[in-house]
Amino acid sequence: MSQHEPSVPTPARTSVVGAVVVLAAGQGTRMRSRTPKVLHELGGRTMLGHVLAAAEPLGAEQTAVVVGSGREQVAGHLAEVAPLALTVVQEEQLGSGHAAAVALDALPKVAGPVLIVNGDAPLLTSGTLVGLVDAHRSAGNVLTVLTAEVADPRGLGRILRDAAGAVRAIVEERDADEAQRAIAEVNAGVYVGDAAAVREALTRVGAGNQQGEQYLTDVLGLLVADGARVGGHRAADAADTLGCNDQRELAARRRTMNDRVLDGLMRAGVVVIDPLTTWVDVTAEVAAEAVLHPGTQLRGATTVAGGAVVGPDTTLVDTEVGEGASVVRAHCQLAVIGPEVSVGPFAYLRPGTRLARGAKVGTFVETKNATVGQGSKVPHLSYVGDATIGEHSNIGAASVFVNYDGVAKHHTTIGSHARTGADNMFVAPVSVGDGAYTAAGSVITDDVPPGAMGVARAHQRNVGGWVAKRRPGTPAAAAAEAAEARAGERAEDQLPDPAPGTSSEGPR
Ligand code: UD1
Ligand code: MG
């Protein structure tokens, strides 16, 4: 199962808000990065992707994302992950209030409740957003802000309540006095408000603050002054609300997200040996009774079936691992690893690798666009690219599937029950038939018919006495001389000849 929200089941609802507005135009100066802030990644999605995924169950008729800084990149990303979302350009980053106003101008027909959410809050869950909208509804509010009690409120807007506990205003830290800074309840940057009322109040927001920006947060105080019903809804889990403004916060949010994912997996029966060094994207799926060893990373659309053992020190990207397979110290991308397959230690499976049931890709083996049939083995030190290997075949150590002629890639086909020798080159396009053998050290350039032995290597020639003649006085010459002397002595002792049949009968 996917574990984006392990503890909060997503209620099935439609259209609880008229629109979702995501504020994502800010420069993100504090990230100190050329990548726009909301495109930074954690847990397998961008920050923006997480926010959109959390808002998805609200069933908004329209979703608008305000872009500005790095707009081409952000818009390009949106076209991929949320093609139906409306991209609204905020030409100048004049503040979160200005951004919200630009978005609502682009949604003139939207009435009723609108969710406005910062694009830099990747830990928000659907459950928290639905809880906010429900609280807003049942209180009959015009505006409800999501708040959280946090241990370290530094840098965040504080929630000002009156003696009766009613929310009165939000004050940014830069504009707060000492007493206000001591408040631990903060603005999460998520609001649900009546579209018309928010639209109107935004026209009255000024920029008379430390940053000279139009603050969305000022809408709350303005509506309170109007006598409108305004409320604050405390998030059950304050971690949900944490924003992400610099690399330290990004790393901390990534850790929290990973903790949540692993928590969900372990509750469901996945064995995680070392949660501190195991990283699983929200998009990956792991079945009960799979074992994840230290240093495992499961990224993207990776799936791991029950009884499979992954790691230590293994990265799987968009890779499928079948039941009972073992993947040790491997890096795999877009590979399909069948049930009971053995991969590694030290293997690199590149896109298009398909390993059928019980196959083996062993130590220091690289594969690409290669199918290895049921029970077939590539045990050691080999490159298998653009190849089809049948069933129950064995590829000798140090084999290279020579697939590239400098211009085009070519295919090699090895049949079933074939036995290829060590140190072979298969110069594609070429094939080795069912039940065929090849000799060690062969450069196979021609097809080997079924059942044949392909031999493609020079005959050995021994030049007797070469060392004594050409390297006299060396340790090699002395060793050779001593060996010859011992052989001479044995001959004198008339030792019997070695038993017949101990030499190899064919090429190895
Ligand atoms: C904001 C809130 C603060 C809250 C915190 C929660 C304001 C004024 N302050 O502070 O009360 O505690 O979030 O994380 O809103 N943006 C635009 N256009 C702009 C400026 C900002 O789209 O011109 C977007 C940003 O991309 C971001 C969001 O608005 O997603 C908030 O801006 P940011 O600069 O992160 O505000 P914070 O200082 O975090
Ligand atoms: Mg922020």
PDB file of all heavy atoms in Angstrom, residues 23-26 30 37-38 66 90 92-96 99 118-120 155-157 170 172 186-189 191 211 213 215-217 241 243 245, ligand 1:
ATOM      1  N   LEU A  23      -0.326  28.848  -3.124  1.00  0.00           N
ATOM      2  CA  LEU A  23       0.590  29.982  -3.296  1.00  0.00           C
ATOM      3  C   LEU A  23       2.002  29.443  -3.508  1.00  0.00           C
ATOM      4  O   LEU A  23       2.582  28.833  -2.604  1.00  0.00           O
ATOM      5  CB  LEU A  23       0.554  30.888  -2.059  1.00  0.00           C
ATOM      6  CG  LEU A  23      -0.837  31.360  -1.606  1.00  0.00           C
ATOM      7  CD1 LEU A  23      -0.712  32.299  -0.407  1.00  0.00           C
ATOM      8  CD2 LEU A  23      -1.582  32.042  -2.757  1.00  0.00           C
ATOM      9  N   ALA A  24       2.524  29.663  -4.696  1.00  0.00           N
ATOM     10  CA  ALA A  24       3.823  29.057  -5.010  1.00  0.00           C
ATOM     11  C   ALA A  24       4.696  29.990  -5.832  1.00  0.00           C
ATOM     12  O   ALA A  24       5.529  29.559  -6.616  1.00  0.00           O
ATOM     13  CB  ALA A  24       3.597  27.751  -5.767  1.00  0.00           C
ATOM     14  N   ALA A  25       4.500  31.300  -5.647  1.00  0.00           N
ATOM     15  CA  ALA A  25       5.240  32.252  -6.481  1.00  0.00           C
ATOM     16  C   ALA A  25       6.464  32.824  -5.778  1.00  0.00           C
ATOM     17  O   ALA A  25       7.302  33.466  -6.400  1.00  0.00           O
ATOM     18  CB  ALA A  25       4.319  33.394  -6.903  1.00  0.00           C
ATOM     19  N   GLY A  26       6.558  32.597  -4.480  1.00  0.00           N
ATOM     20  CA  GLY A  26       7.635  33.205  -3.698  1.00  0.00           C
ATOM     21  C   GLY A  26       9.006  32.777  -4.214  1.00  0.00           C
ATOM     22  O   GLY A  26       9.158  31.745  -4.850  1.00  0.00           O
ATOM     23  N   ARG A  30      15.622  31.886   0.905  1.00  0.00           N
ATOM     24  CA  ARG A  30      16.340  31.197   1.971  1.00  0.00           C
ATOM     25  C   ARG A  30      16.809  29.798   1.572  1.00  0.00           C
ATOM     26  O   ARG A  30      17.660  29.205   2.218  1.00  0.00           O
ATOM     27  CB  ARG A  30      15.453  31.122   3.231  1.00  0.00           C
ATOM     28  CG  ARG A  30      15.273  32.465   3.916  1.00  0.00           C
ATOM     29  CD  ARG A  30      14.131  32.461   4.921  1.00  0.00           C
ATOM     30  NE  ARG A  30      12.814  32.575   4.289  1.00  0.00           N
ATOM     31  CZ  ARG A  30      11.649  32.565   4.944  1.00  0.00           C
ATOM     32  NH1 ARG A  30      11.641  32.424   6.257  1.00  0.00           N
ATOM     33  NH2 ARG A  30      10.505  32.675   4.293  1.00  0.00           N
ATOM     34  N   LYS A  37      11.560  27.185  -4.992  1.00  0.00           N
ATOM     35  CA  LYS A  37      11.375  26.524  -3.693  1.00  0.00           C
ATOM     36  C   LYS A  37      10.410  25.338  -3.745  1.00  0.00           C
ATOM     37  O   LYS A  37      10.729  24.260  -3.251  1.00  0.00           O
ATOM     38  CB  LYS A  37      10.881  27.521  -2.642  1.00  0.00           C
ATOM     39  CG  LYS A  37      10.532  26.857  -1.320  1.00  0.00           C
ATOM     40  CD  LYS A  37      10.573  27.789  -0.151  1.00  0.00           C
ATOM     41  CE  LYS A  37       9.321  28.596  -0.008  1.00  0.00           C
ATOM     42  NZ  LYS A  37       9.296  29.322   1.300  1.00  0.00           N
ATOM     43  N   VAL A  38       9.241  25.558  -4.365  1.00  0.00           N
ATOM     44  CA  VAL A  38       8.213  24.512  -4.304  1.00  0.00           C
ATOM     45  C   VAL A  38       8.565  23.288  -5.159  1.00  0.00           C
ATOM     46  O   VAL A  38       7.879  22.273  -5.108  1.00  0.00           O
ATOM     47  CB  VAL A  38       6.826  25.043  -4.723  1.00  0.00           C
ATOM     48  CG1 VAL A  38       6.338  26.067  -3.721  1.00  0.00           C
ATOM     49  CG2 VAL A  38       6.854  25.615  -6.138  1.00  0.00           C
ATOM     50  N   VAL A  66      -0.480  29.689  -7.975  1.00  0.00           N
ATOM     51  CA  VAL A  66       0.126  30.987  -8.285  1.00  0.00           C
ATOM     52  C   VAL A  66       1.621  30.786  -8.467  1.00  0.00           C
ATOM     53  O   VAL A  66       2.307  30.299  -7.558  1.00  0.00           O
ATOM     54  CB  VAL A  66      -0.130  32.001  -7.145  1.00  0.00           C
ATOM     55  CG1 VAL A  66       0.404  33.376  -7.539  1.00  0.00           C
ATOM     56  CG2 VAL A  66      -1.608  32.078  -6.824  1.00  0.00           C
ATOM     57  N   GLN A  90       1.833  35.541 -10.994  1.00  0.00           N
ATOM     58  CA  GLN A  90       1.969  36.757 -10.182  1.00  0.00           C
ATOM     59  C   GLN A  90       3.260  37.420 -10.666  1.00  0.00           C
ATOM     60  O   GLN A  90       4.356  36.941 -10.388  1.00  0.00           O
ATOM     61  CB  GLN A  90       2.074  36.379  -8.684  1.00  0.00           C
ATOM     62  CG  GLN A  90       2.144  37.586  -7.765  1.00  0.00           C
ATOM     63  CD  GLN A  90       2.554  37.202  -6.337  1.00  0.00           C
ATOM     64  OE1 GLN A  90       3.174  36.159  -6.115  1.00  0.00           O
ATOM     65  NE2 GLN A  90       2.226  38.058  -5.386  1.00  0.00           N
ATOM     66  N   GLU A  92       4.874  40.218 -10.039  1.00  0.00           N
ATOM     67  CA  GLU A  92       5.806  40.702  -9.024  1.00  0.00           C
ATOM     68  C   GLU A  92       5.431  40.073  -7.702  1.00  0.00           C
ATOM     69  O   GLU A  92       4.242  40.029  -7.358  1.00  0.00           O
ATOM     70  CB  GLU A  92       5.668  42.223  -8.885  1.00  0.00           C
ATOM     71  CG  GLU A  92       6.663  43.021  -9.676  1.00  0.00           C
ATOM     72  CD  GLU A  92       6.511  44.504  -9.340  1.00  0.00           C
ATOM     73  OE1 GLU A  92       5.512  45.100  -9.799  1.00  0.00           O
ATOM     74  OE2 GLU A  92       7.353  45.045  -8.602  1.00  0.00           O
ATOM     75  N   GLN A  93       6.395  39.631  -6.950  1.00  0.00           N
ATOM     76  CA  GLN A  93       6.101  38.969  -5.682  1.00  0.00           C
ATOM     77  C   GLN A  93       5.906  40.029  -4.595  1.00  0.00           C
ATOM     78  O   GLN A  93       6.832  40.401  -3.886  1.00  0.00           O
ATOM     79  CB  GLN A  93       7.220  37.986  -5.317  1.00  0.00           C
ATOM     80  CG  GLN A  93       7.103  36.667  -6.071  1.00  0.00           C
ATOM     81  CD  GLN A  93       7.317  36.818  -7.583  1.00  0.00           C
ATOM     82  OE1 GLN A  93       8.422  37.091  -8.015  1.00  0.00           O
ATOM     83  NE2 GLN A  93       6.266  36.657  -8.379  1.00  0.00           N
ATOM     84  N   LEU A  94       4.659  40.494  -4.502  1.00  0.00           N
ATOM     85  CA  LEU A  94       4.355  41.592  -3.575  1.00  0.00           C
ATOM     86  C   LEU A  94       3.820  41.073  -2.244  1.00  0.00           C
ATOM     87  O   LEU A  94       3.371  41.858  -1.419  1.00  0.00           O
ATOM     88  CB  LEU A  94       3.343  42.552  -4.217  1.00  0.00           C
ATOM     89  CG  LEU A  94       3.796  43.172  -5.556  1.00  0.00           C
ATOM     90  CD1 LEU A  94       2.698  44.061  -6.142  1.00  0.00           C
ATOM     91  CD2 LEU A  94       5.086  43.979  -5.375  1.00  0.00           C
ATOM     92  N   GLY A  95       3.817  39.769  -2.060  1.00  0.00           N
ATOM     93  CA  GLY A  95       3.375  39.201  -0.785  1.00  0.00           C
ATOM     94  C   GLY A  95       2.295  38.154  -0.977  1.00  0.00           C
ATOM     95  O   GLY A  95       1.685  38.040  -2.044  1.00  0.00           O
ATOM     96  N   SER A  96       2.084  37.366   0.091  1.00  0.00           N
ATOM     97  CA  SER A  96       1.130  36.249  -0.004  1.00  0.00           C
ATOM     98  C   SER A  96      -0.302  36.757  -0.218  1.00  0.00           C
ATOM     99  O   SER A  96      -1.103  36.099  -0.887  1.00  0.00           O
ATOM    100  CB  SER A  96       1.218  35.362   1.240  1.00  0.00           C
ATOM    101  OG  SER A  96       1.070  36.130   2.433  1.00  0.00           O
ATOM    102  N   ALA A  99      -0.624  37.549  -3.827  1.00  0.00           N
ATOM    103  CA  ALA A  99      -0.693  36.290  -4.576  1.00  0.00           C
ATOM    104  C   ALA A  99      -2.102  35.711  -4.531  1.00  0.00           C
ATOM    105  O   ALA A  99      -2.648  35.259  -5.554  1.00  0.00           O
ATOM    106  CB  ALA A  99       0.308  35.279  -4.002  1.00  0.00           C
ATOM    107  N   ASN A 118      -0.292  27.569   1.476  1.00  0.00           N
ATOM    108  CA  ASN A 118       1.090  27.821   1.072  1.00  0.00           C
ATOM    109  C   ASN A 118       1.628  26.602   0.333  1.00  0.00           C
ATOM    110  O   ASN A 118       1.370  25.461   0.741  1.00  0.00           O
ATOM    111  CB  ASN A 118       1.976  28.047   2.309  1.00  0.00           C
ATOM    112  CG  ASN A 118       1.775  29.421   2.937  1.00  0.00           C
ATOM    113  OD1 ASN A 118       1.017  30.229   2.434  1.00  0.00           O
ATOM    114  ND2 ASN A 118       2.469  29.653   4.049  1.00  0.00           N
ATOM    115  N   GLY A 119       2.406  26.851  -0.695  1.00  0.00           N
ATOM    116  CA  GLY A 119       2.983  25.739  -1.460  1.00  0.00           C
ATOM    117  C   GLY A 119       4.177  25.102  -0.777  1.00  0.00           C
ATOM    118  O   GLY A 119       4.723  24.112  -1.269  1.00  0.00           O
ATOM    119  N   ASP A 120       4.590  25.631   0.362  1.00  0.00           N
ATOM    120  CA  ASP A 120       5.792  25.095   1.013  1.00  0.00           C
ATOM    121  C   ASP A 120       5.461  24.343   2.301  1.00  0.00           C
ATOM    122  O   ASP A 120       6.213  24.369   3.259  1.00  0.00           O
ATOM    123  CB  ASP A 120       6.811  26.219   1.284  1.00  0.00           C
ATOM    124  CG  ASP A 120       6.317  27.273   2.269  1.00  0.00           C
ATOM    125  OD1 ASP A 120       5.118  27.256   2.620  1.00  0.00           O
ATOM    126  OD2 ASP A 120       7.141  28.118   2.683  1.00  0.00           O
ATOM    127  N   GLY A 155      10.142  32.497  13.483  1.00  0.00           N
ATOM    128  CA  GLY A 155       9.977  32.768  12.055  1.00  0.00           C
ATOM    129  C   GLY A 155       8.542  32.690  11.570  1.00  0.00           C
ATOM    130  O   GLY A 155       8.258  33.034  10.432  1.00  0.00           O
ATOM    131  N   LEU A 156       7.628  32.225  12.407  1.00  0.00           N
ATOM    132  CA  LEU A 156       6.253  32.008  11.959  1.00  0.00           C
ATOM    133  C   LEU A 156       5.319  33.103  12.455  1.00  0.00           C
ATOM    134  O   LEU A 156       5.625  33.815  13.421  1.00  0.00           O
ATOM    135  CB  LEU A 156       5.767  30.638  12.459  1.00  0.00           C
ATOM    136  CG  LEU A 156       6.566  29.462  11.882  1.00  0.00           C
ATOM    137  CD1 LEU A 156       6.249  28.178  12.628  1.00  0.00           C
ATOM    138  CD2 LEU A 156       6.263  29.293  10.387  1.00  0.00           C
ATOM    139  N   GLY A 157       4.172  33.199  11.781  1.00  0.00           N
ATOM    140  CA  GLY A 157       3.146  34.138  12.228  1.00  0.00           C
ATOM    141  C   GLY A 157       2.470  33.600  13.481  1.00  0.00           C
ATOM    142  O   GLY A 157       2.180  32.413  13.583  1.00  0.00           O
ATOM    143  N   ILE A 170      -3.444  37.710  13.128  1.00  0.00           N
ATOM    144  CA  ILE A 170      -2.172  36.997  12.957  1.00  0.00           C
ATOM    145  C   ILE A 170      -1.099  38.064  12.855  1.00  0.00           C
ATOM    146  O   ILE A 170      -1.246  39.025  12.087  1.00  0.00           O
ATOM    147  CB  ILE A 170      -2.165  36.145  11.674  1.00  0.00           C
ATOM    148  CG1 ILE A 170      -3.306  35.119  11.699  1.00  0.00           C
ATOM    149  CG2 ILE A 170      -0.814  35.447  11.506  1.00  0.00           C
ATOM    150  CD1 ILE A 170      -3.499  34.394  10.372  1.00  0.00           C
ATOM    151  N   GLU A 172       2.993  38.638  12.104  1.00  0.00           N
ATOM    152  CA  GLU A 172       4.240  38.030  11.658  1.00  0.00           C
ATOM    153  C   GLU A 172       5.328  38.274  12.706  1.00  0.00           C
ATOM    154  O   GLU A 172       5.326  39.306  13.378  1.00  0.00           O
ATOM    155  CB  GLU A 172       4.669  38.621  10.311  1.00  0.00           C
ATOM    156  CG  GLU A 172       3.760  38.232   9.158  1.00  0.00           C
ATOM    157  CD  GLU A 172       3.628  36.722   9.016  1.00  0.00           C
ATOM    158  OE1 GLU A 172       4.642  36.054   8.722  1.00  0.00           O
ATOM    159  OE2 GLU A 172       2.516  36.203   9.209  1.00  0.00           O
ATOM    160  N   VAL A 186       0.851  29.001  16.174  1.00  0.00           N
ATOM    161  CA  VAL A 186       1.292  29.681  14.952  1.00  0.00           C
ATOM    162  C   VAL A 186       0.323  29.458  13.800  1.00  0.00           C
ATOM    163  O   VAL A 186      -0.489  28.530  13.805  1.00  0.00           O
ATOM    164  CB  VAL A 186       2.699  29.195  14.535  1.00  0.00           C
ATOM    165  CG1 VAL A 186       3.720  29.522  15.618  1.00  0.00           C
ATOM    166  CG2 VAL A 186       2.689  27.702  14.221  1.00  0.00           C
ATOM    167  N   ASN A 187       0.464  30.310  12.810  1.00  0.00           N
ATOM    168  CA  ASN A 187      -0.305  30.213  11.576  1.00  0.00           C
ATOM    169  C   ASN A 187       0.351  29.173  10.674  1.00  0.00           C
ATOM    170  O   ASN A 187       1.528  29.280  10.346  1.00  0.00           O
ATOM    171  CB  ASN A 187      -0.305  31.590  10.897  1.00  0.00           C
ATOM    172  CG  ASN A 187      -0.830  31.541   9.470  1.00  0.00           C
ATOM    173  OD1 ASN A 187      -1.606  30.650   9.122  1.00  0.00           O
ATOM    174  ND2 ASN A 187      -0.409  32.504   8.659  1.00  0.00           N
ATOM    175  N   ALA A 188      -0.429  28.176  10.258  1.00  0.00           N
ATOM    176  CA  ALA A 188       0.116  27.125   9.391  1.00  0.00           C
ATOM    177  C   ALA A 188       0.182  27.560   7.934  1.00  0.00           C
ATOM    178  O   ALA A 188       0.765  26.873   7.106  1.00  0.00           O
ATOM    179  CB  ALA A 188      -0.753  25.871   9.518  1.00  0.00           C
ATOM    180  N   GLY A 189      -0.425  28.685   7.613  1.00  0.00           N
ATOM    181  CA  GLY A 189      -0.426  29.125   6.211  1.00  0.00           C
ATOM    182  C   GLY A 189      -1.466  28.380   5.391  1.00  0.00           C
ATOM    183  O   GLY A 189      -1.304  28.200   4.187  1.00  0.00           O
ATOM    184  N   TYR A 191      -5.753  28.298   4.902  1.00  0.00           N
ATOM    185  CA  TYR A 191      -6.954  29.038   5.265  1.00  0.00           C
ATOM    186  C   TYR A 191      -8.117  28.526   4.439  1.00  0.00           C
ATOM    187  O   TYR A 191      -7.942  28.183   3.264  1.00  0.00           O
ATOM    188  CB  TYR A 191      -6.786  30.531   4.957  1.00  0.00           C
ATOM    189  CG  TYR A 191      -5.392  31.080   5.231  1.00  0.00           C
ATOM    190  CD1 TYR A 191      -4.353  30.875   4.313  1.00  0.00           C
ATOM    191  CD2 TYR A 191      -5.123  31.793   6.393  1.00  0.00           C
ATOM    192  CE1 TYR A 191      -3.079  31.367   4.553  1.00  0.00           C
ATOM    193  CE2 TYR A 191      -3.850  32.298   6.640  1.00  0.00           C
ATOM    194  CZ  TYR A 191      -2.824  32.074   5.712  1.00  0.00           C
ATOM    195  OH  TYR A 191      -1.567  32.569   5.959  1.00  0.00           O
ATOM    196  N   GLN A 211       8.301  43.987   6.095  1.00  0.00           N
ATOM    197  CA  GLN A 211       8.777  43.538   4.782  1.00  0.00           C
ATOM    198  C   GLN A 211       8.190  44.362   3.636  1.00  0.00           C
ATOM    199  O   GLN A 211       8.572  44.151   2.487  1.00  0.00           O
ATOM    200  CB  GLN A 211       8.388  42.065   4.557  1.00  0.00           C
ATOM    201  CG  GLN A 211       9.062  41.114   5.527  1.00  0.00           C
ATOM    202  CD  GLN A 211       9.083  39.700   4.976  1.00  0.00           C
ATOM    203  OE1 GLN A 211      10.044  39.278   4.344  1.00  0.00           O
ATOM    204  NE2 GLN A 211       7.998  38.973   5.206  1.00  0.00           N
ATOM    205  N   GLU A 213       5.293  44.058   2.430  1.00  0.00           N
ATOM    206  CA  GLU A 213       4.554  43.120   1.581  1.00  0.00           C
ATOM    207  C   GLU A 213       3.072  43.134   1.931  1.00  0.00           C
ATOM    208  O   GLU A 213       2.694  43.514   3.031  1.00  0.00           O
ATOM    209  CB  GLU A 213       5.081  41.686   1.786  1.00  0.00           C
ATOM    210  CG  GLU A 213       6.446  41.452   1.176  1.00  0.00           C
ATOM    211  CD  GLU A 213       6.847  39.990   1.214  1.00  0.00           C
ATOM    212  OE1 GLU A 213       6.074  39.156   1.743  1.00  0.00           O
ATOM    213  OE2 GLU A 213       7.944  39.682   0.713  1.00  0.00           O
ATOM    214  N   TYR A 215       0.332  41.097   3.156  1.00  0.00           N
ATOM    215  CA  TYR A 215       0.221  39.827   3.871  1.00  0.00           C
ATOM    216  C   TYR A 215      -1.190  39.248   3.776  1.00  0.00           C
ATOM    217  O   TYR A 215      -2.159  39.912   4.152  1.00  0.00           O
ATOM    218  CB  TYR A 215       0.530  40.024   5.359  1.00  0.00           C
ATOM    219  CG  TYR A 215       1.973  40.268   5.723  1.00  0.00           C
ATOM    220  CD1 TYR A 215       2.288  40.723   7.014  1.00  0.00           C
ATOM    221  CD2 TYR A 215       3.022  40.026   4.839  1.00  0.00           C
ATOM    222  CE1 TYR A 215       3.607  40.932   7.396  1.00  0.00           C
ATOM    223  CE2 TYR A 215       4.339  40.239   5.215  1.00  0.00           C
ATOM    224  CZ  TYR A 215       4.628  40.699   6.493  1.00  0.00           C
ATOM    225  OH  TYR A 215       5.918  40.907   6.877  1.00  0.00           O
ATOM    226  N   LEU A 216      -1.288  38.030   3.354  1.00  0.00           N
ATOM    227  CA  LEU A 216      -2.573  37.331   3.367  1.00  0.00           C
ATOM    228  C   LEU A 216      -3.119  37.252   4.795  1.00  0.00           C
ATOM    229  O   LEU A 216      -4.331  37.300   5.029  1.00  0.00           O
ATOM    230  CB  LEU A 216      -2.382  35.919   2.786  1.00  0.00           C
ATOM    231  CG  LEU A 216      -3.558  34.951   2.820  1.00  0.00           C
ATOM    232  CD1 LEU A 216      -4.791  35.548   2.157  1.00  0.00           C
ATOM    233  CD2 LEU A 216      -3.180  33.644   2.126  1.00  0.00           C
ATOM    234  N   THR A 217      -2.203  37.172   5.737  1.00  0.00           N
ATOM    235  CA  THR A 217      -2.588  37.026   7.139  1.00  0.00           C
ATOM    236  C   THR A 217      -3.395  38.221   7.660  1.00  0.00           C
ATOM    237  O   THR A 217      -4.160  38.090   8.615  1.00  0.00           O
ATOM    238  CB  THR A 217      -1.319  36.868   7.991  1.00  0.00           C
ATOM    239  OG1 THR A 217      -0.379  37.877   7.589  1.00  0.00           O
ATOM    240  CG2 THR A 217      -0.684  35.516   7.759  1.00  0.00           C
ATOM    241  N   THR A 241       1.801  20.847   9.761  1.00  0.00           N
ATOM    242  CA  THR A 241       1.691  22.240   9.342  1.00  0.00           C
ATOM    243  C   THR A 241       3.043  22.883   9.063  1.00  0.00           C
ATOM    244  O   THR A 241       3.093  24.031   8.619  1.00  0.00           O
ATOM    245  CB  THR A 241       1.012  23.075  10.451  1.00  0.00           C
ATOM    246  OG1 THR A 241       1.912  23.158  11.567  1.00  0.00           O
ATOM    247  CG2 THR A 241      -0.286  22.433  10.895  1.00  0.00           C
ATOM    248  N   GLY A 243       6.165  24.439   7.652  1.00  0.00           N
ATOM    249  CA  GLY A 243       6.601  24.937   6.356  1.00  0.00           C
ATOM    250  C   GLY A 243       8.039  24.543   6.090  1.00  0.00           C
ATOM    251  O   GLY A 243       8.655  23.777   6.851  1.00  0.00           O
ATOM    252  N   ASN A 245      11.417  26.483   4.537  1.00  0.00           N
ATOM    253  CA  ASN A 245      11.967  27.704   3.956  1.00  0.00           C
ATOM    254  C   ASN A 245      13.449  27.643   3.622  1.00  0.00           C
ATOM    255  O   ASN A 245      13.944  28.485   2.898  1.00  0.00           O
ATOM    256  CB  ASN A 245      11.710  28.882   4.900  1.00  0.00           C
ATOM    257  CG  ASN A 245      10.222  29.139   5.065  1.00  0.00           C
ATOM    258  OD1 ASN A 245       9.515  29.364   4.090  1.00  0.00           O
ATOM    259  ND2 ASN A 245       9.744  29.046   6.293  1.00  0.00           N
TER     260      ASN A 245
HETATM  261  C1  UD1 B   1       3.888  32.520   5.949  1.00  0.00           C
HETATM  262  C2  UD1 B   1       2.854  33.300   6.789  1.00  0.00           C
HETATM  263  C3  UD1 B   1       3.098  32.996   8.253  1.00  0.00           C
HETATM  264  C4  UD1 B   1       2.995  31.498   8.487  1.00  0.00           C
HETATM  265  C5  UD1 B   1       3.939  30.746   7.564  1.00  0.00           C
HETATM  266  C6  UD1 B   1       3.667  29.253   7.668  1.00  0.00           C
HETATM  267  C7  UD1 B   1       2.420  35.321   5.530  1.00  0.00           C
HETATM  268  C8  UD1 B   1       2.607  36.784   5.490  1.00  0.00           C
HETATM  269  N1  UD1 B   1       3.012  34.702   6.552  1.00  0.00           N
HETATM  270  O1  UD1 B   1       5.175  32.987   6.306  1.00  0.00           O
HETATM  271  O2  UD1 B   1       2.136  33.666   9.043  1.00  0.00           O
HETATM  272  O3  UD1 B   1       3.285  31.208   9.846  1.00  0.00           O
HETATM  273  O4  UD1 B   1       3.741  31.124   6.201  1.00  0.00           O
HETATM  274  O5  UD1 B   1       4.638  28.542   6.966  1.00  0.00           O
HETATM  275  O6  UD1 B   1       1.742  34.765   4.688  1.00  0.00           O
HETATM  276  N2  UD1 B   1       4.095  33.637  -1.925  1.00  0.00           N
HETATM  277  C9  UD1 B   1       3.629  33.998  -3.177  1.00  0.00           C
HETATM  278  N3  UD1 B   1       3.815  35.275  -3.595  1.00  0.00           N
HETATM  279  C10 UD1 B   1       4.423  36.204  -2.838  1.00  0.00           C
HETATM  280  C11 UD1 B   1       4.898  35.822  -1.563  1.00  0.00           C
HETATM  281  C12 UD1 B   1       4.712  34.527  -1.131  1.00  0.00           C
HETATM  282  O7  UD1 B   1       3.076  33.183  -3.900  1.00  0.00           O
HETATM  283  O8  UD1 B   1       4.538  37.349  -3.305  1.00  0.00           O
HETATM  284  C13 UD1 B   1       3.901  32.248  -1.473  1.00  0.00           C
HETATM  285  C14 UD1 B   1       5.187  31.518  -1.212  1.00  0.00           C
HETATM  286  O9  UD1 B   1       5.602  30.824  -2.384  1.00  0.00           O
HETATM  287  C15 UD1 B   1       4.809  30.565  -0.095  1.00  0.00           C
HETATM  288  C16 UD1 B   1       3.695  31.267   0.625  1.00  0.00           C
HETATM  289  O10 UD1 B   1       3.228  32.283  -0.244  1.00  0.00           O
HETATM  290  O11 UD1 B   1       4.326  29.326  -0.574  1.00  0.00           O
HETATM  291  C17 UD1 B   1       4.152  31.888   1.933  1.00  0.00           C
HETATM  292  O12 UD1 B   1       5.269  32.724   1.690  1.00  0.00           O
HETATM  293  P1  UD1 B   1       6.592  32.583   2.565  1.00  0.00           P
HETATM  294  O13 UD1 B   1       7.545  33.608   2.110  1.00  0.00           O
HETATM  295  O14 UD1 B   1       7.034  31.187   2.642  1.00  0.00           O
HETATM  296  O15 UD1 B   1       5.997  33.075   3.967  1.00  0.00           O
HETATM  297  P2  UD1 B   1       6.504  32.679   5.417  1.00  0.00           P
HETATM  298  O16 UD1 B   1       7.519  33.669   5.839  1.00  0.00           O
HETATM  299  O17 UD1 B   1       6.849  31.269   5.464  1.00  0.00           O
END
